[in-house]
Amino acid sequence: MTITSIISAIGNTNKQAPLIVRDCGIEVPSKIILTYNQNKKESKDVAKLAARERFLDEYAVSAVWLGCIPLVDKISNYVIRKKGFNPDINLKLFKESDSQGININIKNFEGKVSDSIIKELKKVKENKSIYEKLLAGKFVLSTTIPMVLMGFVLPKLIFASSSKKIEKLRKQKEQKNLQQFKNPMEYIKNGQISFKGNLISQIANFSTVEKMAVTDGGYGVGRVATARNKNEALDVGFKMTGMMILNFLFPPYLAKFLDKLTYKVAGLNVALDPLILDDKKLLEAIKNQNLKLPSTSTEKDIIEFLDKNPKSLFSQYATKFYDVKYLENGIRDPRAFVNTKKLAEFKKELENFAKNAIDSKNITNFAKKAKWAKGFNILANISLSSFLLAYALPKAQFAFRKIVTGSDLDPGLATSKDKI
């Protein structure tokens, strides 16, 4: 794997790689250290307990957060296939347009693709309600299982573990006649999820990152509900809100801001992925002025171009970065939905880059500068996001805690100071 491909991976805010880098590599270790130092101001014993809780909590949550959704998706897909349906068929195809939809795809691709694919489409069409329920069930399982594990099960286990640790420390110090520590976590409030109207079509094909965002919200609700006291609920609520914003909302907007700033300051068009900027075939196509693109940005022209030019650079990029799928024979997969709005934006970005590269008089040099500038922006995004998550947010949380509780101690462990 090249440096460019690594930077490309961590720079894609729609994928898991940036979350893994920020979460496991930077954010968690920093939070453990900050948690210990914050609690140490008042009690070293509580500081050790708080750091231990944070270690267990953060890495256990990361394992569930990053691994559970893909695992449940695979299991659900296996069950759906056992029911006789192909889970790769996108429900958005039921929203017919002039250029794509389940009826149009069956008509246009019959005779061009295998009979089994057409049969799969027809079966989904004839059993829409059953297929919708299966995909809705898949969504529920892939989000609620991680929610329950992260928001309810893990905190109870960790609180129970802390309770045993406190008891052990108390015995070690041979302190007698202390009040028995009691874990107050006895009740969990459960909610229900319901789906109405066209919502299933929207959520059934959520990406892993989109499901992670939904799961994160449920995880936050669960943590607030299972807090050991009111102050801990406020403390956790503040933290989880900040994490949601910094993980899912802030990075994409920061990426766009940095790209626009680079264009304004340096005149470099860096909207494209580093792997595209590093593609010699693209640079040759621009030099020779034979870069093939859809004639317009309409859905009809984009779909038509993809079908007629499967080997074009545009189609290859659409496959790699925008989930367009082709079968082995080069025919576009009629079971997949084409997001023509995103491809229209991508077409415009390619056109702008090509124009700027030609205007620069040195296309190769322009692309090289753009690639390094884009790489810098991606690393700057990861660095700033990680700093805010790993340092600024915990510090803000500690300040909020001090205002609310008047203490530096973790609210859930504050009473332990007198029990150890």
Side-chain angles (χ1 to χ4, degrees), residues 160-333:
S161 175
S162 291
S163 178
K164 290 180 181 179
K165 188 69 175 177
I166 291 169
E167 179 68 18
K168 183 178 178 180
L169 290 172
R170 183 173 61 180
K171 288 180 178 179
Q172 287 175 347
K173 294 187 176 183
E174 297 181 348
Q175 294 181 351
K176 299 179 180 180
N177 301 320
L178 288 178
Q179 183 180 0
Q180 180 80 16
F181 179 83
K182 185 178 181 181
N183 182 1
M185 296 312 305
E186 297 174 354
Y187 302 99
I188 296 178
K189 295 182 179 179
N190 292 300
Q192 294 183 337
I193 300 176
S194 61
F195 299 99
K196 296 180 180 180
N198 293 323
L199 183 59
I200 294 177
S201 298
Q202 299 298 320
I203 66 173
N205 297 102
F206 268 18
S207 67
T208 297
V209 172
E210 288 171 327
K211 289 177 182 176
M212 288 171 73
V214 173
T215 301
D216 229 24
Y219 160 44
V221 172
R223 284 307 172 93
V224 172
T226 56
R228 286 168 283 195
N229 52 57
K230 181 180 178 181
N231 286 338
E232 187 176 41
L234 292 171
D235 193 63
V236 170
F238 182 91
K239 179 187 78 171
M240 293 305 302
T241 300
M243 286 177 62
M244 284 286 291
I245 293 171
L246 294 176
N247 264 324
F248 299 106
L249 296 179
F250 180 71
Y253 283 103
L254 178 60
K256 290 181 180 180
F257 170 77
L258 291 173
D259 288 350
K260 288 181 180 179
L261 183 64
T262 301
Y263 181 75
K264 186 174 182 180
V265 173
L268 293 172
N269 189 317
V270 294
L272 298 173
D273 187 276
L275 287 176
I276 297 177
L277 296 172
D278 197 43
D279 191 348
K280 293 179 181 179
K281 291 181 180 178
L282 173 64
L283 303 187
E284 285 298 319
I286 294 174
K287 287 179 183 177
N288 299 327
Q289 295 187 357
N290 62 358
L291 177 62
K292 292 184 178 180
L293 296 173
S295 56
T296 71
S297 295
T298 63
E299 181 182 62
K300 179 179 180 297
D301 284 339
I302 288 175
I303 293 288
E304 187 175 302
F305 182 90
L306 292 172
D307 289 342
K308 291 183 177 180
N309 304 276
K311 294 185 178 181
S312 69
L313 285 175
F314 181 84
S315 297
Q316 290 176 31
Y317 296 147
T319 301
K320 185 174 182 62
F321 298 101
Y322 295 95
D323 297 323
V324 171
K325 297 179 181 179
Y326 285 95
L327 303 173
E328 291 183 2
N329 59 4
I331 302 295
R332 181 169 57 84
D333 192 337

